[in-house]
Amino acid sequence: MSSPQQIPFEELQARLAEFRQLRSFVGGYLPVLNSNQWAEAFSAIPTVEVVNAYRCDMTDSAVITLAKLPKLKYLNLHKCARATKVGLEALANCRSLETLSLDEEVFAAGNYTLADVQKLQVALPKCRIIFAGGKSIPGLQPTTSGK
């Protein structure tokens, strides 16, 4: 697998400006590089429902930004090594979220703990929180509350 190429700053700014002009966009993959800027561009389009942030360089600030999307249903944070419990805490306010896919290696590295994920599950009882590939998170207790 080849490594992603950095887009020159001017070209990145032009692409982001064009993207922000969209009136409707359901969602897609964030680019691996500059994903914080792309997450901000996604957040300017309230119709976004799906964000795949697979292998992105995004930080918690991007997760916080995405958590404000009013129709976000699916968020994939697989291999997002810079996402931490701070980002998860922000997702607790994303009431539309139906599926959150996390990364086992990032979890094992301590970026967030089972307690952090359980707290999010309690805040979003209808959200399916899983590891990539649909694997359940060992020890995560489902909630039955209908919040």
Side-chain angles (χ1 to χ4, degrees), residues 67-70 87-97 120 123-124:
K68 296 174 186 171
L69 284 165
L88 291 186
E89 289 169 354
L91 288 172
N93 295 316
C94 188
R95 300 290 179 205
S96 59
L97 194 61
L120 179 60
L124 301 174

Side-chain angles (χ1 to χ4, degrees), residues 4-133:
Q5 301 245 334
Q6 184 77 1
I7 299 172
F9 182 76
E10 296 78 25
E11 184 180 341
L12 172 66
Q13 294 306 311
R15 287 184 185 182
L16 288 168
E18 288 175 8
F19 186 81
R20 285 187 184 102
Q21 299 305 310
L22 292 175
R23 298 223 183 265
S24 180
F25 180 70
V26 175
Y29 281 86
L30 290 178
V32 173
L33 299 175
N34 303 307
S35 56
N36 279 11
Q37 291 92 334
W38 281 100
E40 189 172 318
F42 271 48
S43 74
I45 305 168
T47 58
V48 172
E49 296 179 2
V50 175
V51 177
N52 275 296
Y54 177 72
R55 289 188 39 184
C56 287
D57 65 352
M58 70 189 302
T59 63
D60 287 325
S61 67
V63 178
I64 292 166
T65 297
L66 292 171
K68 296 174 186 171
L69 284 165
K71 295 185 178 183
L72 185 64
K73 293 181 181 178
Y74 178 87
L75 179 59
N76 177 2
L77 296 178
H78 186 61
K79 301 242 183 243
C80 292
R82 297 171 70 194
T84 71
K85 76 178 205 166
V86 173
L88 291 186
E89 289 169 354
L91 288 172
N93 295 316
C94 188
R95 300 290 179 205
S96 59
L97 194 61
E98 296 174 1
T99 303
L100 174 63
S101 181
L102 299 174
D103 186 89
E104 285 183 84
E105 292 174 15
V106 175
F107 180 81
N111 288 29
Y112 37 82
T113 65
L114 180 59
D116 299 325
V117 178
Q118 187 67 57
K119 186 175 178 182
L120 179 60
Q121 184 68 84
V122 169
L124 301 174
K126 295 180 181 178
C127 182
R128 182 173 172 239
I129 304 175
I130 54 174
F131 282 142

